[in-house]
């Protein structure tokens, strides 16, 4: 069982930046491709970014491409999501997730372990 814990959320003005982190409990963390999702108020949870086991491949939703960057440090069992040029529409609870599949996908159903989420609020 992998436990995930996000941190780094908060309140930021539009145009600002935040860095989210996700810490994993398991030493075998490096075998899990990881994903980031978000859920805005009144909306369904949506895919944001995915990163391969060793960080060599990343994939982003169109809405964040060019603004967000996913990375990971397997030695520290962490993944990060660097968010820049934030917009009010980025306001959401952000979740990290791990999958036992060989490749991180874009659908919630493809992920096996989830964190509790961290809230990001972007003000105008």
């Amino acid at each position: 069982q992998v436990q995930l814990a996000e941190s780094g959320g908060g309140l930021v003005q539009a145009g600002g930046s935040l860095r989210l982190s996700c810490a994993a409990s398991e030493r075998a963390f490096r075998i899990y491709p990881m994903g980031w999702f978000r859920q805005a108020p009144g909306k369904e949870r949506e895919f944001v970014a995915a990163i391969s086991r060793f960080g060599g491949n990343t994939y982003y939703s169109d809405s964040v491409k060019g603004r967000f960057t996913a990375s990971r440090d397997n030695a520290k069992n962490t993944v990060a999501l660097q968010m820049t040029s934030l917009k009010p529409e980025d306001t959401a609870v952000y979740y990290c997730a791990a999958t036992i599949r060989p490749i991180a996908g874009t659908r919630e159903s493809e992920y096996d372990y989830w964190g509790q989420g961290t809230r990001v609020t972007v003000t105008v």
Side-chain angles (χ1 to χ4, degrees), residues 6-122:
E6 304 91 339
S7 62
L11 184 68
V12 63
Q13 286 189 324
S17 299
L18 276 177
R19 183 177 178 86
L20 305 184
S21 292
C22 173
S25 62
E26 190 171 296
R27 291 182 180 180
F29 168 75
R30 69 180 184 277
I31 71 172
Y32 298 109
M34 300 290 294
W36 285 96
F37 288 75
R38 68 185 181 185
Q39 187 167 20
K43 296 186 177 181
E44 294 186 352
R45 192 152 53 182
E46 65 174 0
F47 170 78
V48 174
I51 186 166
S52 58
R53 292 172 177 176
F54 298 103
N57 292 300
T58 53
Y59 181 74
Y60 303 93
S61 67
D62 288 342
S63 61
V64 307
K65 196 175 298 180
R67 300 188 297 122
F68 291 11
T69 303
S71 60
R72 66 190 296 162
D73 185 340
N74 287 346
K76 296 182 179 179
N77 289 1
T78 59
V79 292
L81 186 68
Q82 179 68 47
M83 307 186 295
T84 63
S85 301
L86 283 161
K87 305 174 182 179
E89 51 263 44
D90 294 319
T91 294
V93 176
Y94 284 72
Y95 300 88
C96 66
T99 178
I100 62 174
R101 298 168 184 250
I103 297 175
T106 62
R107 293 178 291 185
E108 286 186 66
S109 59
E110 296 176 287
Y111 290 82
D112 303 279
Y113 305 105
W114 293 82
Q116 293 300 307
T118 185
R119 187 176 300 276
V120 172
T121 303
V122 184

